[in-house]
Amino acid sequence: MNRNDLRRLDMNLLVIFEALMFEKNLTRVAEKLFMGQPAVSAALGRLRDLFDDPLLIRNGRGMEPTPRALAILQELQPAMDTISGAVSRAKAFDPSTSCDVFRIGLSDDAEFGLFPPLLSQLREEAPGIIVVVRRANFLLMSSLLASGEISVGVSYTTDLPANAKRKKLRDIPCKVLRGDQRPGPLTLDEYCARPHAMVSFSGDLSGNIDLDLARIGRTRKVVLAVPQFSGLRALLAGTELISTVPDYAACALVEGCALRAEDPPFQINAAELSMVWSGVHDNDPAERWLRSRIATHMSQPLPAAAYADPAGVQR
């Protein structure tokens, strides 16, 4: 196919092709691209004619890409990233008049503890924008960036796509949440003896806290795992349950309720909260504006009085 032949190619088909390769499901692609499922099915038929390959083959209840489809995806993605980046950089960005849609991936702790003030700032500067938040963590971040479902994410991160970029926002110190009324901080023995609740996206019953305890020859007993931080406020109140959470999540959880937060009675190695983004959006004016606001609002240290009650007593 030469340059003149490209005039006959519908670029929308390539966008649908990329989504199909990641989602492997016509319904999910239709939802993601705001299309009807019959339109996606028709596009798949045109793509099969274009590439002379089935592209997706039904496998049980799902669909799997053919080897030819995966090879085409590997060739097309860099080109589509280049085109997307070139078009984005050509557009001026004025937050006060923008109607852009921004897709952000946030871990639950970042969404619960750090996102509300960021959203207020975004809405103040750019009242016409739309913000779509996707739940992300270190297990999901790479695939969400690679598929284009998000342009930027905030979480503890590990492996990322080759073209992704990363910026450290802050360390993640921990606080111990408790809802009982006994005075004084917990001793290490009390911490290990009490029942623990943990926030676990995947349902695991152990995490980095347990590794830190193991280094000093101690263990804890996790009796409850929940998928998000917001539930801890009701679950811990008036009980013996305790939970060890990031300091910014603790700050949000103790506000206006009977929970209190205190320093853990042992050394916890702080993880890093990072902002990550696709390299294709690195120089996009709108995305650079968004990343600058994320960096400003999600990297600020908590005020010294974050856990103090009205009388100024550390809770």
Side-chain angles (χ1 to χ4, degrees):
M1 178 178 285
N2 59 39
R3 295 294 175 90
N4 287 333
D5 292 331
L6 285 175
R7 291 180 302 170
R8 300 197 301 270
L9 177 63
D10 183 354
M11 284 292 294
N12 289 322
L13 282 178
L14 301 184
V15 175
I16 296 170
F17 170 77
E18 184 181 45
L20 284 166
M21 292 302 100
F22 283 106
E23 297 294 342
K24 307 179 185 67
N25 182 284
L26 298 181
T27 301
R28 287 200 297 268
V29 169
E31 293 171 352
K32 178 180 177 180
L33 299 181
F34 303 103
M35 300 173 62
Q37 185 171 329
V40 175
S41 181
L44 176 58
R46 292 173 63 192
L47 285 163
R48 285 168 167 164
D49 290 339
L50 176 65
F51 293 119
D52 193 23
D53 188 85
L55 300 180
L56 284 171
I57 298 176
R58 189 160 297 282
N59 182 10
R61 301 180 66 178
M63 302 181 80
E64 292 297 328
T66 65
R68 171 69 175 143
L70 294 175
I72 293 169
L73 178 66
Q74 190 172 11
E75 291 186 40
L76 277 180
Q77 266 200 297
M80 293 180 68
D81 285 347
T82 300
I83 294 170
S84 177
V87 172
S88 295
R89 287 190 293 272
K91 296 189 302 180
F93 177 72
D94 180 356
S96 65
T97 60
S98 173
C99 296
D100 285 8
V101 178
F102 293 97
R103 300 183 182 276
I104 308 173
L106 296 176
S107 57
D108 185 64
D109 55 315
E111 180 184 348
F112 182 74
L114 298 174
F115 182 60
L118 168 64
L119 180 61
S120 295
Q121 183 64 36
L122 296 179
R123 295 287 302 151
E124 180 179 337
E125 291 188 40
I129 66 170
I130 298 171
V131 179
V132 178
V133 175
R134 294 290 303 271
R135 180 61 49 81
N137 60 19
F138 72 98
L139 297 172
L140 299 176
M141 190 68 75
S142 183
S143 62
L144 289 172
L145 284 172
S147 67
E149 293 176 73
I150 61 173
S151 62
V152 61
V154 176
S155 176
Y156 163 77
T157 56
T158 52
D159 297 330
L160 292 172
N163 71 335
K165 297 180 179 292
R166 184 201 318 255
K167 176 183 175 65
K168 176 184 174 181
L169 296 177
R170 64 192 300 152
D171 290 323
I172 310 178
C174 289
K175 293 285 185 177
V176 180
L177 282 178
R178 51 192 294 199
D180 63 272
Q181 299 300 315
R182 289 198 297 276
L186 293 170
T187 67
L188 179 58
D189 286 341
E190 289 170 333
Y191 178 91
C192 294
R194 293 276 286 267
H196 288 251
M198 68 177 287
V199 177
S200 172
F201 184 86
S202 60
D204 293 335
L205 294 176
S206 64
N208 291 336
I209 300 298
D210 300 278
L211 297 177
D212 292 318
L213 282 170
R215 292 188 186 98
I216 58 173
R218 304 301 293 263
T219 61
R220 64 174 177 168
K221 183 179 181 182
V222 175
V223 301
L224 174 67
V226 293
Q228 54 194 32
F229 285 86
S230 58
L232 291 176
R233 182 178 284 134
L235 295 169
L236 268 59
T239 75
E240 291 292 293
L241 281 169
I242 59 175
S243 186
T244 309
V245 302
D247 61 345
Y248 45 84
C251 182
L253 282 162
V254 301
E255 185 176 356
C257 74
L259 295 186
R260 51 183 164 148
E262 61 189 47
D263 291 331
F266 63 101
Q267 181 66 40
I268 295 177
N269 291 329
E272 292 184 355
L273 188 73
S274 296
M275 175 172 64
V276 296
W277 64 97
S278 171
V280 69
H281 298 296
D282 194 34
N283 291 315
D284 181 297
E287 293 290 336
R288 291 179 67 178
W289 170 81
L290 174 63
R291 294 196 303 270
S292 73
R293 299 309 183 267
I294 291 174
T296 297
H297 283 271
M298 291 194 169
S299 62
Q300 294 178 353
L302 295 177
Y307 307 101
D309 64 21
V313 178
Q314 191 79 7
R315 293 195 287 184

